């Protein structure tokens, strides 16, 4: 299980560099005649590297409009400009686009021509961070694998906007203006292969409804969440990394076995209002509880297995796998009790 998770995450974060290296290898042997051809059709506002002819660099050029994109382009870099609109005309010949970076522009929903994005049939990566969007743009290319919309003004998610995005593995909506009412029971319907969902730094008071079942990483930091519903994580049985830092969770807001989930390997509950360590699973490897209101630690109480049973079976039993425990910023006085160390024999670091 753990090996499958790590392999999936490796694919999620490194696939970009693999593609880039592959494309470079294919075109590194192009001769001067090819370079001349690619340079002649390169928009004058942009840079077309001869060794990477599928890429077009138009970033940091002060552009207010998107120039015509040559048909050969797969990777389009338009970040850090003053672009306000997305229209069909510049993309008329760009039928092979895989990647568009439009971060840090001034794009609004009204500035996006109807259907312009969905017509980019081969687009896999769309970056629209740091713009002026007030809702998730729609319709979107059905083949998308990553959609990054962080740091906009998004307060609305149109009904069905994600329903056909079966290939999407990453959805980043952090630092927007989402309320609980924006996340309905069918909002994420259709995201059958989603692996990472980031809704941190919004205005949520409740855990979002109907998270896709295959989600591995769920980031909900910097909201105002107070309660974890009973059996909430049974609907996302593969969740591995869970971040709930900077919320309003108290002991009463966590069910008795709310975080006793075998799939969770990294649990972050920093900067909440907990006075005790919640029950955890023996599979957990990293636990962040710094800056809460915890006054003491009792190893016998928090140990996910019986200490006596653990001593009987030793390393051949189901001993807890916790390797990192962070408790600084609480009211705990060192040293760490001996029964904590007896329980968590694999601990490599304790911050107190």
């Amino acid at each position: 299980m753990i090996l499958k998770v790590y392999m999936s995450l490796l694919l999620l974060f490194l696939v970009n560099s693999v593609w880039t290296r592959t494309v470079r290898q294919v075109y590194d042997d192009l001769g001067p005649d090819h370079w001349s051809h690619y340079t002649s059709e390169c928009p004058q506002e942009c840079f077309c590297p001869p060794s990477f002819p599928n890429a077009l660099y138009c970033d940091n050029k002060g552009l207010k409009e998107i120039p015509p994109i040559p048909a050969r382009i797969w990777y389009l870099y338009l970040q850090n400009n003053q672009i306000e609109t997305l229209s069909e005309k510049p993309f008329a010949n760009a039928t092979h686009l895989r990647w568009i970076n439009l971060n840090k522009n001034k794009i609004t929903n009204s500035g996006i021509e109807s259907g312009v994005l969905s017509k980019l049939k081969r687009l896999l990566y769309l970056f629209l961070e740091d713009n002026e969007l007030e809702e998730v743009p729609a319709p979107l290319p059905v083949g998308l694998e990553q959609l990054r919309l962080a740091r906009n003004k998004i307060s609305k998610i149109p009904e069905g906007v994600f329903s056909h995005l079966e290939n999407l593995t990453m959805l980043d909506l952090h630092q927007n203006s989402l309320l609980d009412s924006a996340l309905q029971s069918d909002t994420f319907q259709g995201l059958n292969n989603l692996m990472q969902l980031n809704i941190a730094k919004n205005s949520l008071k409740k855990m979002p409804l109907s998270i896709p079942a295959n989600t591995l990483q769920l980031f909900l930091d910097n909201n105002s969440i107070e309660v974890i519903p009973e059996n909430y994580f049974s609907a996302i049985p593969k969740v591995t990394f869970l971040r709930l830092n900077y919320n309003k969770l108290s002991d009463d807001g966590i069910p008795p076995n709310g975080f006793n989930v075998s799939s969770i390997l990294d649990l972050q509950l920093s900067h909440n209002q907990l006075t005790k360590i919640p029950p955890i699973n023996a599979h957990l490897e990293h636990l962040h509880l710094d800056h809460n209101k915890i006054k003491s630690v009792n190893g016998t109480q928090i140990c996910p297995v019986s200490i006596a049973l653990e001593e009987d079976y030793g390393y051949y039993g189901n001993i807890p796998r916790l390797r990192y425990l962070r408790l600084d910023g609480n009211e705990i006085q060192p040293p760490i009790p001996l029964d904590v160390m007896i329980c968590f024999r694999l601990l490599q670091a304790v911050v107190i």
Side-chain angles (χ1 to χ4, degrees):
M1 165 64 183
I2 295 175
L3 180 59
K4 289 182 179 179
V5 168
Y6 285 143
M7 290 300 292
S8 298
L9 294 177
L10 185 63
L11 175 65
L12 176 65
F13 292 112
L14 299 183
V15 67
N16 302 350
S17 60
V18 172
W19 282 356
T20 301
R21 286 197 300 271
T22 301
V23 172
R24 285 184 181 276
Q25 290 167 0
V26 169
Y27 290 102
D28 272 348
D29 295 330
L30 290 176
D33 291 340
H34 288 89
W35 295 354
S36 176
H37 168 69
Y38 290 127
T39 302
S40 65
E41 64 173 4
C42 182
Q44 62 179 2
E45 308 95 328
C46 307
F47 171 61
C48 299
S51 61
F52 194 12
N54 284 111
L56 181 61
Y57 291 87
C58 307
D59 51 310
N60 297 287
K61 302 295 184 181
L63 299 179
K64 294 186 178 181
E65 296 181 351
I66 299 174
I69 310 302
R72 72 175 191 275
I73 299 302
W74 286 20
Y75 303 94
L76 177 58
Y77 299 89
L78 288 160
Q79 67 269 28
N80 293 300
N81 281 294
Q82 304 294 317
I83 297 168
E84 298 180 359
T85 60
L86 297 180
S87 61
E88 280 191 40
K89 188 176 180 181
F91 299 105
N93 297 318
T95 57
H96 296 282
L97 277 174
R98 305 293 202 273
W99 169 307
I100 299 178
N101 188 335
L102 279 159
N103 292 346
K104 295 188 178 180
N105 278 283
K106 297 184 177 181
I107 298 169
T108 62
N109 288 95
S110 60
I112 301 177
E113 186 176 337
S114 178
V116 62
L117 293 173
S118 63
K119 290 179 180 178
L120 301 173
K121 303 295 186 182
R122 300 188 183 185
L123 194 67
L124 302 177
Y125 292 75
L126 178 58
F127 299 170
L128 280 164
E129 298 179 344
D130 296 284
N131 278 278
E132 303 292 331
L133 299 173
E134 295 183 352
E135 61 182 73
V136 175
L140 291 163
V142 296
L144 273 186
E145 294 184 4
Q146 287 192 20
L147 178 60
R148 304 192 185 212
L149 298 169
R151 294 178 299 277
N152 277 275
K153 302 175 181 178
I154 295 172
S155 61
K156 181 181 178 182
I157 301 178
E159 184 177 356
V161 67
F162 302 128
S163 60
H164 300 294
L165 303 186
E166 294 185 359
N167 295 326
L168 199 72
T169 59
M170 175 189 285
L171 175 58
D172 191 344
L173 289 162
H174 89 269
Q175 201 166 333
N176 277 284
S177 303
L178 292 170
L179 300 171
D180 295 318
S181 57
L183 304 180
Q184 300 298 314
S185 60
D186 61 349
T187 295
F188 301 112
Q189 185 175 348
L191 298 179
N192 299 327
N193 289 295
L194 194 70
M195 296 169 62
Q196 184 185 106
L197 178 59
N198 191 341
I199 326 177
K201 294 188 177 182
N202 278 279
S203 300
L204 305 181
K205 294 183 179 180
K206 300 177 181 179
M207 295 292 285
L209 301 171
S210 300
I211 299 297
N214 285 319
T215 302
L216 297 175
Q217 298 181 323
L218 179 58
F219 303 150
L220 292 163
D221 315 76
N222 293 88
N223 281 284
S224 298
I225 297 171
E226 299 179 357
V227 176
I228 306 294
E230 189 83 34
N231 299 319
Y232 181 84
F233 298 105
S234 62
I236 42 176
K238 297 182 181 180
V239 64
T240 305
F241 297 88
L242 178 61
R243 292 198 333 220
L244 280 159
N245 304 320
Y246 291 95
N247 276 282
K248 296 182 179 180
L249 290 171
S250 63
D251 302 328
D252 294 336
I254 300 175
N257 284 296
F259 295 120
N260 187 1
V261 180
S262 61
S263 65
I264 298 178
L265 304 182
D266 191 301
L267 176 59
Q268 300 189 20
L269 297 168
S270 305
H271 293 271
N272 277 280
Q273 300 172 12
L274 303 175
T275 64
K276 59 184 179 182
I277 297 177
I280 59 174
N281 193 273
H283 290 90
L284 188 68
E285 296 184 2
H286 296 83
L287 178 59
H288 298 247
L289 286 165
D290 55 286
H291 297 90
N292 277 275
K293 300 179 180 180
I294 301 170
K295 294 182 179 181
S296 63
V297 182
N298 185 315
T300 303
Q301 292 178 354
I302 68 172
C303 193
V305 300
S306 167
I307 291 181
L309 186 64
E310 183 182 344
E311 290 183 349
D312 289 340
Y313 288 98
Y315 284 97
Y316 299 100
N318 186 30
I319 68 170
R321 300 178 186 176
L322 194 68
R323 289 171 167 78
Y324 180 87
L325 175 61
R326 184 171 177 182
L327 292 166
D328 56 304
N330 284 283
E331 301 175 30
I332 303 169
Q333 297 298 320
I336 292 291
L338 180 61
D339 55 2
V340 173
M341 308 308 295
I342 293 175
C343 172
F344 302 107
R345 300 184 184 185
L346 300 181
L347 264 177
Q348 298 176 356
V350 180
V351 183
I352 188 171

